[in-house]
Amino acid sequence: MNVCQTCGACCASFRVDFHPAELAGGAFAWGAGVPREMTVPVTPAIVRMAGTDATEPRCVGLAGEIGKIVNCTIYDGRPSPCREFDTEHSACNRARQRCGLAPL
Ligand code: SF4
Ligand code: SF4
């Protein structure tokens, strides 16, 4: 199992903003794209994954329990910020620390 499947900290730490063209049906959607109803509009050029700017952030797309077992329910269509974030990202351990998880 990939370490990210036992973590999920980055999905519960940072705002996830992207261009509306990555929404389902958009010109730059990955796979099925991001369902519009899982996002909130920010500006005409930015939408945000719902839940990621809450006081206790948690993306609405995340299922499971942080630090135990998680999965992204829209994995194939997840937006570009999520595709660019992995264990090599400089903020990975910051997210893990925030969620009380040991650094990798
Ligand atoms: S914080 Fe790091 S280890 Fe955890 S899910 Fe995100 S990329 Fe994976
Ligand atoms: S869309 Fe998926 S990968 Fe991206 S923050 Fe939400 S749950 Fe995490």
Side-chain angles (χ1 to χ4, degrees), residues 2-5 7-11 14 70 85-89 91-93 95-96 101 104:
N2 182 304
V3 66
C4 294
Q5 292 173 284
C7 177
C10 52
C11 307
F14 308 119
V70 293
F85 202 105
D86 60 18
T87 55
E88 302 299 312
H89 196 289
C92 167
N93 276 334
R96 287 179 60 86
L101 302 173
L104 297 179

Side-chain angles (χ1 to χ4, degrees), residues 32-88:
V34 180
R36 184 181 294 272
E37 61 271 20
M38 296 178 82
T39 67
V40 290
V42 179
T43 72
I46 299 175
V47 290
R48 179 170 293 162
M49 288 307 300
T52 64
D53 63 357
T55 310
E56 293 292 325
R58 180 179 170 125
C59 178
V60 294
L62 188 69
E65 187 179 348
I66 307 281
K68 301 278 190 216
I69 184 161
V70 293
N71 70 286
C72 172
T73 59
I74 56 164
Y75 189 78
D76 289 343
R78 71 198 189 285
S80 48
C82 308
R83 293 171 184 276
E84 290 158 11
F85 202 105
D86 60 18
T87 55
E88 302 299 312

